[in-house]
Amino acid sequence: MRPQAGAFALECSKGCSYCCHNMVTASAPEIFLLARHFRKTDPSRRQDVLEKLKAADLAGRDHDPRQRYLAHIACGLLDENGLCGAYESRPNVCRTMVSASVAACRASFAGEPAQIPVPKPYGALRTAYSYTLLAALQAEGLDDRLYELNQALCIALETGDAEQRWLSGEDIFAGIRHERVDAGEQPQIALFLSVLAAGAENSPLPANPWIAG
């Protein structure tokens, strides 16, 4: 990223929050990182965050991602000034969601057809990080699902030992909207993740059915 920093100009700026109205999914470790962030704040602040998260969850739970975006339902972590309440602990998808055209973002937010230009290095970084994390979770036999952020973070904050229970194998996020790589529907991605996991553990690599011999 550093060598290419001057190769493209981002138009993102502090307080610009169009993308913060998308439905965000995050892995359990990313959710627990956010929970740790808010546990360091005073109880009244934490309660305010919980109320906003619950309101955002309730407003968007019955919407698909597109409907939610067009309804302008903000992330529960967004404050009245368009700033993230946990910026330094935000999930990977938020860190790599950038735009080279605020006009395109504004048009998309208004429901107009618009292609938001995202410099390729950011997309590549997002994919590389996400796949590496998913492979690590699979290698450890841990839950590799991506959960809707508002509802999952509420559970992580309201359950005192949520992280330890998750590490022990308990499905503390049961029933929450989630995504995961389905080996039946995305066999090449599933194979790639298993190769990453095997390589990290210095284990035999799985066979590739798309390579003859």
Side-chain angles (χ1 to χ4, degrees):
M1 292 297 294
R2 289 190 184 95
Q4 299 186 61
F8 45 82
L10 301 180
E11 294 194 2
C12 304
S13 59
K14 189 174 182 179
C16 180
S17 58
Y18 295 117
C19 61
C20 301
H21 294 75
N22 285 289
M23 189 184 86
V24 173
T25 58
S27 66
E30 292 174 305
I31 293 163
F32 292 130
L33 180 65
L34 284 166
R36 289 183 186 186
H37 171 90
F38 286 112
R39 285 205 176 96
K40 295 176 183 176
T41 63
D42 64 82
S44 62
R45 162 66 174 149
R46 192 158 59 246
Q47 187 59 40
D48 288 344
V49 169
L50 263 172
E51 291 176 4
K52 289 189 65 176
L53 288 168
K54 289 180 178 180
D57 170 39
L58 183 63
R61 190 177 295 188
D62 296 328
H63 292 62
D64 65 33
R66 180 63 177 167
Q67 291 172 332
R68 177 177 174 149
Y69 179 65
L70 293 177
H72 296 175
I73 299 172
C75 172
L77 299 179
L78 200 66
D79 70 15
E80 61 277 5
N81 297 312
L83 302 178
C84 177
Y87 188 77
E88 59 270 31
S89 301
R90 67 198 187 282
N92 173 56
V93 66
C94 302
R95 293 175 184 273
T96 53
M97 181 62 71
V98 296
S99 172
S101 171
V102 69
C105 296
R106 188 179 301 112
S108 175
F109 194 68
E112 302 170 14
Q115 185 66 40
I116 298 174
V118 178
K120 288 183 179 180
Y122 283 88
L125 182 65
R126 181 185 311 138
T127 301
Y129 176 91
S130 297
Y131 283 1
T132 303
L133 177 57
L134 290 178
L137 292 171
Q138 290 183 7
E140 291 298 315
L142 293 170
D143 175 19
D144 64 352
R145 287 169 287 186
L146 301 175
Y147 294 97
E148 194 280 325
L149 181 63
N150 292 297
Q151 190 178 8
L153 185 52
C154 283
I155 290 176
L157 286 171
E158 291 185 310
T159 308
D161 56 350
E163 187 170 351
Q164 287 304 315
R165 288 166 61 178
W166 176 82
L167 284 168
S168 68
E170 184 176 342
D171 189 4
I172 67 165
F173 298 125
I176 297 179
R177 182 189 294 189
H178 65 270
E179 303 169 350
R180 80 182 317 164
V181 174
D182 187 319
E185 296 180 1
Q186 299 172 286
Q188 290 172 312
I189 293 178
L191 175 64
F192 179 61
L193 292 175
S194 65
V195 168
L196 283 176
E201 295 188 324
N202 200 28
S203 301
L205 299 182
N208 188 333
W210 293 282
I211 297 178

